[in-house]
Amino acid sequence: MELYEAAREFLGTPFKHQGRYVHGVDCAGLVILSAKMIGKEIVDVGGYHRMPDDKALILAMDSQLIKVYRAPVANDIVLMAVGRNAQHVGIITPNGIIHAYEGAGKVVEHNFDARWSKRLRGVYTL
């Protein structure tokens, strides 16, 4: 199973800040649980605010994932800005991006269009 296929199992799951269960996930929870489903462990860093410190998120990602310097491809984990700070993550699929998006209130998959690609701050792989 691919990372994005595992993430698709959560499509429609309600958004829940710091959620780590099928009853509700946030963007980090989606990545952590999807990775676990394919046998990869990502250490969870809990206790963060709704608008987390972007330096802490970047440090956590840099220490556990492999940063790549290229355009994102399927199965990559992308770090995106919300406002000015890098505070959101998603998983690239062949069709776009899947992420737990508070604005939609659930896990969604859609195109990784200009609205989202302009927010890109980092590309990672497991």
Side-chain angles (χ1 to χ4, degrees), residues 39-112:
K40 304 284 185 175
E41 285 293 323
I42 298 175
V43 177
D44 195 357
V45 180
Y48 52 87
H49 298 285
R50 245 185 223 293
M51 301 299 271
D53 175 358
D54 64 330
K55 291 178 184 78
L57 180 57
I58 291 168
L59 181 62
M61 292 184 72
D62 285 350
S63 68
Q64 296 191 63
L65 304 171
I66 301 164
K67 189 167 189 175
V68 294
Y69 298 91
R70 57 165 167 69
V73 298
N75 291 312
D76 282 344
I77 299 164
V78 291
L79 174 62
M80 296 173 288
V82 174
R84 294 180 4 190
N85 297 323
Q87 301 175 344
H88 187 62
V89 295
I91 298 167
I92 298 295
T93 74
N95 302 326
I97 184 170
I98 185 168
H99 57 136
Y101 179 41
E102 188 172 16
K106 61 185 174 183
V107 176
V108 295
E109 182 176 4
H110 54 77
N111 291 333
F112 192 62

Side-chain angles (χ1 to χ4, degrees), residues 80-81 112-121:
M80 296 173 288
F112 192 62
D113 57 21
R115 175 182 177 209
W116 293 98
S117 63
K118 73 180 181 182
R119 299 175 182 205
L120 186 64
R121 297 296 182 270

